[in-house]
Amino acid sequence: MDDPTKGHAARVYAADPLLAGQDELTAKRGEEWLETADAVGLAAVDRLHPDTLPACWSPLVVHRLRARAAGPDPEASLGALLDRWLALPRGGEAGQALSVLWPSRDTAPVRALAVRGFAPVTSLAVRHLRPVRAADDGGRVAIRAARPEDLDAVTEMYERLVAYDAQWGWVTVRASTRERLKESVEAEVLPFNWCWLAEVDGRPAGCVIVEPPARSGWISHAVNRGPVAYLGVMYVEPEARGRGVGVALTDVAQREAAERGVTTMLLHHALPNPLSTPFWARRGYRPLMTQWVRHLQ
């Protein structure tokens, strides 16, 4: 059998030349190799402890498939591989989920996911950055770098963001969420990341957190252009929405990142969220990879 990865990569790169990493499929520890006609994949299971920070952003048991599909009918190729994967034993643990990341612009095979009960839940989106002049907002929104004394304010907004995102079924508020978030803000966000706070009438109204290139290696491999920064958090308080706070925060984050040499910004947003999808599209972000998920009973 010809290597399906080559046909997969040729089709995907024709649809989206910015993508990287689609022309190889190397097993990581704990992954199981799956192979069908015109498709190959690596299956793995992630199990998270509920008291950890990653458990806020995911179900506790996630079955993941990294797939490559080629041939004259990519939908049928991917479908056969999915059927092989779905037939694997799962065990009886509650709250399990299935997850497949797929290049957003490679639409030919995705019906295979939809008809098997998968839904697009999260988008990894991308935007090219270039230095721009600061816009004049008339002084309505004050943006400043977050300071150590902003620990509680940033943590509380971060916690409200998790609670809001939990509505879409993938993120989960857990008993330890606030404690883990505060630890992360104190030990990682404020000392090492780029974090800005928005104030309206002297009160905190929103925040944005960006991981600089030195801390974005875990995601920068998704694109073939860098340096890459990752916008991990953007939140605006409900009473401040519609007043330009989100736009002001995003503009500052993008301008500051560009001035520090960043050419590519990545972020994740929830596709079912009626606020984030149109907001990020208006800010110039477009889909790169889509996470398709299916929850198991």
Coordinates of all heavy atoms in Angstrom, one line a residue, residues 4 52 55 59 110 127 129 150 167 198 200 207 213 234 238 245 268 270 272 283:
P4 N -0.3 6.5 2.8 CA -1.4 7.5 2.8 C -1.0 8.9 3.3 O -1.7 9.9 2.9 CB -2.5 6.9 3.7 CG -2.1 5.4 3.8 CD -0.6 5.4 3.7
T52 N -6.0 18.6 38.7 CA -4.9 19.3 37.9 C -5.5 20.4 37.1 O -6.7 20.4 36.7 CB -4.2 18.3 37.0 OG1 -5.1 17.7 36.1 CG2 -3.5 17.2 37.9
A55 N -7.3 19.4 33.7 CA -8.6 18.8 33.9 C -9.7 19.9 33.8 O -10.9 19.5 33.6 CB -8.7 18.1 35.2
P59 N -12.5 16.7 29.4 CA -13.0 15.6 30.1 C -11.8 14.8 30.7 O -10.7 15.0 30.3 CB -13.7 14.7 29.1 CG -14.1 15.7 28.0 CD -13.0 16.7 28.0
V110 N -14.5 15.4 6.0 CA -15.1 15.6 7.3 C -16.5 15.1 7.5 O -17.0 14.9 8.6 CB -15.0 17.1 7.7 CG1 -13.6 17.6 7.8 CG2 -15.8 18.0 6.8
R127 N -3.5 34.2 12.9 CA -3.5 35.5 12.3 C -2.0 35.9 12.1 O -1.2 35.7 13.0 CB -4.2 36.5 13.1 CG -4.0 37.9 12.5 CD -4.7 39.0 13.3 NE -4.1 40.3 12.8 CZ -4.8 41.5 12.9 NH1 -6.0 41.5 13.4 NH2 -4.2 42.6 12.5
L129 N 0.8 38.7 12.1 CA 0.9 40.0 12.8 C 1.9 40.9 12.0 O 2.9 40.4 11.4 CB 1.4 39.8 14.2 CG 0.5 39.0 15.1 CD1 1.1 39.1 16.5 CD2 -0.9 39.6 15.2
D150 N -2.3 42.4 40.9 CA -3.5 42.1 40.2 C -3.9 40.6 40.2 O -4.8 40.1 39.5 CB -3.4 42.5 38.7 CG -3.2 44.0 38.6 OD1 -4.0 44.8 39.2 OD2 -2.3 44.4 37.8
Q167 N -20.1 26.0 29.2 CA -21.5 25.8 28.6 C -21.4 25.0 27.4 O -22.4 24.4 27.0 CB -22.1 27.2 28.3 CG -22.3 28.1 29.5 CD -22.8 29.4 29.0 OE1 -24.0 29.7 29.0 NE2 -21.9 30.3 28.7
A198 N -7.6 45.5 31.4 CA -8.4 46.6 30.9 C -9.2 47.2 32.1 O -9.7 46.4 32.9 CB -9.4 46.2 29.8
V200 N -12.2 50.2 33.1 CA -13.2 51.1 32.7 C -13.7 51.8 33.9 O -14.1 51.1 34.9 CB -14.4 50.4 31.9 CG1 -15.5 51.4 31.6 CG2 -13.9 49.8 30.6
C207 N -9.2 41.1 30.6 CA -7.8 40.8 30.6 C -7.5 40.0 29.4 O -8.4 39.3 28.8 CB -7.3 40.1 31.9 SG -8.0 38.4 32.1
P213 N 6.9 33.6 22.4 CA 7.5 32.5 21.7 C 8.2 31.4 22.5 O 8.2 30.2 22.2 CB 8.4 33.2 20.7 CG 7.7 34.5 20.5 CD 7.2 34.9 21.8
M234 N -8.6 35.6 26.8 CA -9.2 36.9 26.6 C -10.6 36.9 27.1 O -11.4 36.2 26.7 CB -9.2 37.3 25.1 CG -9.0 38.8 24.8 SD -10.5 39.8 25.2 CE -11.6 39.3 23.9
P238 N -19.1 40.9 31.7 CA -20.4 41.1 31.0 C -20.9 42.5 31.0 O -21.4 43.0 29.9 CB -21.4 40.2 31.8 CG -20.5 39.1 32.4 CD -19.2 39.8 32.7
V245 N -13.9 46.9 24.8 CA -12.9 46.4 25.7 C -12.1 45.3 25.0 O -10.9 45.2 25.0 CB -13.5 46.0 27.0 CG1 -12.4 45.4 27.9 CG2 -14.1 47.2 27.7
H268 N -7.1 29.4 20.6 CA -8.2 28.5 20.5 C -9.5 29.2 20.9 O -9.4 30.1 21.8 CB -8.0 27.3 21.5 CG -7.0 26.3 21.0 ND1 -5.7 26.3 21.5 CD2 -7.2 25.2 20.2 CE1 -5.1 25.2 20.9 NE2 -5.9 24.6 20.2
A270 N -14.0 28.5 21.2 CA -15.1 27.5 21.2 C -16.0 27.9 20.0 O -16.6 28.9 20.0 CB -15.9 27.5 22.5
P272 N -19.1 26.7 19.3 CA -20.5 27.0 19.6 C -20.7 28.3 20.3 O -21.9 28.8 20.4 CB -20.9 25.8 20.5 CG -19.8 24.8 20.4 CD -18.6 25.6 20.0
R283 N -11.5 40.1 14.1 CA -10.1 40.5 14.4 C -9.1 39.9 13.5 O -7.9 40.1 13.7 CB -9.8 40.1 15.9 CG -10.7 40.6 17.0 CD -11.2 42.1 16.8 NE -10.0 43.0 16.8 CZ -10.1 44.2 16.2 NH1 -11.2 44.6 15.6 NH2 -9.1 45.0 16.2

